[in-house]
Amino acid sequence: MKCPYCGHPDTRVIDSRPAEDGSSIRRRRSCDECTKRFTTYEKVETIPLIIIKKDNTREQYNRGKIESGVLSACYKRPVSADDIAKAVNKIENKIFNLEEKEVPSSRVGEIVMEELKDLDEVAYVRFASVYREFKDVNTFMKELKKILDK
C-alpha cells in the first residue's frame, strides 16, 4: 500500500481488526520511509448491482440514495446518527444478500420500510408517504392503521 504522505510504495500493517460495520477490515499501517501512520479499510468487491426503476430504466446501485432517504425520514426525530448508519448497513446487507444482479426499486423500498418500521414509526410513515405516493388522506390512514393494529 502506497503511503499517502510521502508516496513510498511499501508500508506495513501494524494492526488488523474488523471494522464497526462488520463487513470490512480496518488496518493500521505504518510507513518505514516517513514513519507516519494511517488507516485503510478493506472491503470485498461485489458485482455491480443494478436497480430497476419504476419506469423500467436501470441505474447502478447507490448507497448514498438510501442514506439520503433514511436521513430525510428521520429528520428531527430522536434517532442517533449511529442508529441511522447501522440501519443503512442492515438495508444494504439485505439488498446484497438477495444475490441478484438486478433488483427492482420497489423491493429496495420495501426493505427500507421494514428497517424504518423497527427504527422509528414516524420515520417509517414519512418514508412510506413519499415511497407509496399517498394520493389522499384515506390511503395515509390505512398505512397508519397497519402500524396501530400491531
Side-chain angles (χ1 to χ4, degrees), residues 16-149:
S16 246
R17 63 182 65 175
E20 289 177 15
D21 64 2
S23 66
S24 59
I25 300 289
R26 177 185 182 272
R27 298 194 193 282
R28 273 308 274 162
R29 296 178 175 269
S30 175
C31 176
D32 293 330
E33 193 71 24
C34 69
T35 68
K36 296 223 177 171
R37 292 182 175 198
F38 59 98
T39 303
T40 60
Y41 291 88
E42 183 178 307
K43 194 169 186 168
V44 175
E45 188 175 31
T46 56
I47 331 167
L49 177 65
I50 302 299
I51 304 298
I52 305 168
K53 310 279 282 176
K54 288 179 187 175
D55 63 359
N56 266 348
T57 59
R58 286 162 166 69
E59 68 179 41
Q60 192 163 350
Y61 168 77
N62 180 352
R63 178 187 170 100
K65 285 190 170 187
I66 291 175
E67 287 174 336
S68 175
V70 172
L71 280 170
S72 294
C74 294
Y75 182 67
K76 291 191 177 182
R77 294 294 305 149
V79 181
S80 71
D82 191 44
D83 287 342
I84 290 172
K86 286 177 185 173
V88 171
N89 285 335
K90 283 183 187 176
I91 291 164
E92 188 171 64
N93 285 338
K94 286 179 182 178
I95 292 167
F96 281 103
N97 285 339
L98 295 173
E99 295 182 358
E100 296 176 17
K101 293 178 183 177
E102 294 186 337
V103 177
S105 61
S106 58
R107 182 67 185 117
V108 174
E110 295 298 326
I111 291 170
V112 171
M113 286 197 310
E114 287 170 18
E115 199 57 44
L116 281 175
K117 196 181 284 187
D118 295 337
L119 187 64
D120 184 84
E121 289 178 343
V122 173
Y124 164 78
V125 172
R126 283 179 178 171
F127 186 87
S129 69
V130 173
Y131 172 70
R132 293 213 171 119
E133 298 173 346
F134 294 157
K135 302 290 185 223
D136 56 25
V137 176
N138 292 330
T139 326
F140 188 75
M141 291 304 292
K142 285 179 189 173
E143 195 66 36
L144 284 176
K145 284 180 184 175
K146 285 183 194 175
I147 294 173
L148 294 173
D149 289 343

